Amino acid sequence: EAGVAQSPRYKIIEKRQSVAFWCNPISGHATLYWYQQILGQGPKLLIQFQNNGVVDDSQLPKDRFSAERLKGVDSTLKIQPAKLEDSAVYLCASSLARMGSLPYEQYFGPGTRLTVT
Amino acid sequence: AQTVTQSQPEMSVQEAETVTLSCTYDTSESDYYLFWYKQPPSRQMILVIRQEAYKQQNATENRFSVNFQKAAKSFSLKISDSQLGDAAMYFCASNTGNQFYFGTGTSLTVIP
């Protein structure tokens, strides 16, 4: 079974530039998550999709961040314009939808390391 | 909202020895799940072990086991017979419904 794919793996941009990250979840996984992981911290959820609908984007800085999952499969996360504090690893994860009382496991991609200079 | 606290930024263990990583959480929910994730230097986060809050029995997965104290809201991870490949960042996480909350992580070093 192929894992969660992310690209690019690394990106360096200057502040005020734009950047986009791509994620392809595991086939059949309805739920997709984007996390921001700043160095030395745990992952922070930015946005969660269930199929192509947004379940939670309460921690997404909507003035500069946007995300979409148009066909309910792969997803893009965009930052426009970037700030220095956006330097972080952006993790994508996917999971099957929760069924009954069973917990569902998140499968993570390798992440995209963004450096804003 | 839930909070997850890992009070040990760094831990070390001698190879073949046992180490315990601490985690406390705060939630007002009655139905939730707890997880330990491992993040090696390659940064691919993988699940180590999970615990359903309604189960009293502590989860065990080979060399990994948890000590789940629901009343104290404590969820520690014990790694027995530590191996060099266990060296990584370990994150404690809680899940209620759709939300996942992660701690700040514990960096584990395994000394040969």
Side-chain angles (χ1 to χ4, degrees):
Chain A
E1 177 181 76
V4 177
Q6 287 187 251
S7 67
R9 292 295 309 276
Y10 304 92
K11 189 73 177 179
I12 301 174
I13 62 172
E14 295 181 351
K15 60 183 179 183
R16 291 188 288 274
Q17 286 188 323
S18 301
V19 64
F21 312 127
W22 174 81
C23 172
N24 190 29
I26 293 173
S27 177
H29 281 195
T31 309
L32 185 146
Y33 308 79
W34 281 104
Y35 289 90
Q36 180 192 59
Q37 187 177 20
I38 293 173
L39 186 65
Q41 299 182 16
K44 182 185 82 171
L45 179 69
L46 292 175
I47 190 168
Q48 177 184 346
F49 292 95
Q50 182 79 15
N51 296 309
N52 61 349
V54 175
V55 174
D56 185 351
D57 63 356
S58 57
Q59 298 195 85
L60 186 74
K62 299 181 185 63
D63 58 332
R64 298 185 300 107
F65 285 65
S66 64
E68 59 183 14
R69 192 185 185 200
L70 292 175
K71 296 182 179 179
V73 181
D74 55 351
S75 174
T76 55
L77 176 69
K78 297 179 181 178
I79 307 175
Q80 179 180 8
K83 293 184 176 181
L84 296 177
E85 58 261 36
D86 298 332
S87 294
V89 174
Y90 290 84
L91 297 170
C92 179
S94 71
S95 70
L96 291 169
R98 186 173 178 177
M99 297 176 65
S101 61
L102 295 176
Y104 55 94
E105 175 181 347
Q106 290 190 342
Y107 294 83
F108 285 84
T112 297
R113 183 184 295 276
L114 173 67
T115 302
V116 183
T117 63
Chain B
Q2 298 191 10
T3 58
V4 178
T5 303
Q6 294 179 251
S7 59
Q8 305 156 314
E10 298 178 344
M11 291 284 285
S12 62
V13 61
Q14 206 77 31
E15 193 176 4
E17 296 297 311
T18 296
V19 65
T20 299
L21 309 183
S22 301
C23 173
T24 58
Y25 61 94
D26 185 21
T27 180
S28 57
E29 303 289 335
S30 59
D31 184 19
Y32 56 92
Y33 304 94
L34 300 165
F35 304 85
W36 278 98
Y37 281 89
K38 172 184 177 181
Q39 190 176 40
S42 66
R43 304 205 76 83
Q44 192 101 25
M45 192 95 74
I46 56 175
L47 180 69
V48 174
I49 197 166
R50 71 165 67 89
Q51 174 79 42
E52 293 92 328
Y54 66 88
K55 287 189 177 179
Q56 292 185 333
Q57 186 174 6
N58 289 324
T60 299
E61 194 72 38
N62 299 317
R63 298 181 296 107
F64 299 88
S65 61
V66 299
N67 183 7
F68 175 45
Q69 301 290 327
K70 191 172 183 179
K73 295 183 178 176
S74 170
F75 182 62
S76 59
L77 174 70
K78 185 172 82 172
I79 306 174
S80 304
D81 185 25
S82 297
Q83 301 176 359
L84 295 178
D86 295 334
M89 283 290 290
Y90 286 81
F91 291 97
C92 179
S94 68
N95 162 238
T96 301
N98 294 319
Q99 284 278 12
F100 273 79
Y101 300 88
F102 286 82
T104 52
T106 296
S107 178
L108 178 66
T109 300
V110 181
I111 303 166

